[in-house]
């Protein structure tokens, strides 16, 4: 068993090399553009999406729509209800079409993040009957959540308002307060692991197979991924659920194959990692 764990730790370290943390118990707290993924410039995004004709089917799944919305300047202006209501710090203002500045959301950084409350909740991504969704930019530096509100009106997704709230008022407030510390310190991470953490990852000997095993606190350093710490994104599909005792954190690359899933459980006031999937 000891020999297997040594090999398993080495193999996983190779698999996770692109998202490993730093030394001395610190992950380094990756900012929005520092993960090992390709970032995209505004010019590149405009060039890639400017001539894209968005099929009507893109309005069926919110994910299909929002990726086009975030990368296509013309589509974005067409799919905003102007004057757009923006509420910040309790103050409301209206933004006219001529004053709107292109917002690329998470497209420039080459990846995005999602938070779910259960595996069942994850299925909402495929729900074609959704009529409401919210894209959230969660800023730990500013302690705010910027919510971009979308509604499907007569079959067409439109952004209808923007609302900025304190992070403490988020429906994920407890987990986000925990994540802010978890993302920057391996020492903090090691203290917030289940006694054994399940691991599922690609088999280094067979590209078509996955391997399973366990991670302990003693072997965590070999598996600890680099996580964004300054800000993350989330998409709320439909009505947000009340925060429970489970949370699934997903980090997904944009056209680069990066995929990371971390399952957490809440014990009293503490969140602990129970499973890592790469």
């Amino acid at each position: 068993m000891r020999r297997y764990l040594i090999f398993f730790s080495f193999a996983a370290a190779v698999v996770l090399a692109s998202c490993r943390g730093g030394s001395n118990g610190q992950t380094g707290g990756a900012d929005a553009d520092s993960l090992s993924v390709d970032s995209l410039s505004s010019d590149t995004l405009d060039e890639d999406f400017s001539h894209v004709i968005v099929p009507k089917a893109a309005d069926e799944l919110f994910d299909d729509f929002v990726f086009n919305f975030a990368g296509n300047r013309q589509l974005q202006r067409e799919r905003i209800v102007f004057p757009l209501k923006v509420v910040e710090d309790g103050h409301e203002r209206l933004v006219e079409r001529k004053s709107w500045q292109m917002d690329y959301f998470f497209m420039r950084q080459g990846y995005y993040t999602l938070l779910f409350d259960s595996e069942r909740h994850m299925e909402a991504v495929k729900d074609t009957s959704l009529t409401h969704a919210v894209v959230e930019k969660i800023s730990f530096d500013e302690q705010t959540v910027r919510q971009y509100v979308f509604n499907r009106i007569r079959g067409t997704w439109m952004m209808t308002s923007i609302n900025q709230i304190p992070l403490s008022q988020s429906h994920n407030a407890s987990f986000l307060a925990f994540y802010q510390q978890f993302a920057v310190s391996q020492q903090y991470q090691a203290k917030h692991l289940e006694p054994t953490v399940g691991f599922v990852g690609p088999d280094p000997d067979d590209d078509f197979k996955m391997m399973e095993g366990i991670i302990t606190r003693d072997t965590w350093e070999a598996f600890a991924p680099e996580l964004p710490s300054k800000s993350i994104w989330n998409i709320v599909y439909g009505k947000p659920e009340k925060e429970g005792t489970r949370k699934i954190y997903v980090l997904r690359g944009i056209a680069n194959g990066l995929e990371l899933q971390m399952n957490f459980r809440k014990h009293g006031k503490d969140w602990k990692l129970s499973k890592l999937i790469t």
Side-chain angles (χ1 to χ4, degrees), residues 25 53 56 80 122 124 136 177 188 196 213 246 248 264 266:
I53 299 175
K56 186 171 180 58
I80 296 176
M122 294 177 75
E136 298 183 320
Y188 186 86
T196 58
R246 298 182 63 197
I248 300 174
F264 296 86
K266 194 175 185 181

Side-chain angles (χ1 to χ4, degrees), residues 188-207:
Y188 186 86
Q189 292 169 4
K191 293 178 181 179
H192 290 81
L193 305 178
E194 297 277 12
T196 58
V197 176
F199 175 81
V200 180
D203 188 333
D205 296 324
D206 191 330
D207 294 338

Side-chain angles (χ1 to χ4, degrees), residues 29-32 138-142 228-232:
D31 62 27
I138 301 160
S139 172
F140 295 110
D141 286 347
E142 299 177 4
S229 64
K230 293 185 182 298
S231 66
I232 61 174

Side-chain angles (χ1 to χ4, degrees), residues 237-272:
Y237 302 88
K239 184 178 179 180
E241 298 183 10
K242 184 178 179 180
E243 188 170 57
T245 58
R246 298 182 63 197
K247 196 68 65 180
I248 300 174
Y249 170 91
V250 177
L251 189 153
R252 191 167 291 161
I254 300 174
N256 56 28
L258 177 65
E259 181 84 21
L260 174 72
Q261 178 178 320
M262 306 178 81
N263 293 12
F264 296 86
R265 291 183 181 274
K266 194 175 185 181
H267 299 268
K269 295 183 178 180
D270 288 333
W271 289 91
K272 293 188 177 181

Side-chain angles (χ1 to χ4, degrees), residues 44-73:
T44 300
L45 285 169
D46 284 341
E47 182 178 347
D48 289 345
F49 286 88
S50 60
H51 302 297
V52 173
I53 299 175
V54 182
K56 186 171 180 58
D59 275 308
E60 293 182 3
L61 287 176
F62 181 73
D63 278 11
D64 291 343
F65 161 74
V66 79
F67 274 91
N68 283 285
F69 181 88
N72 187 319
R73 185 183 301 272

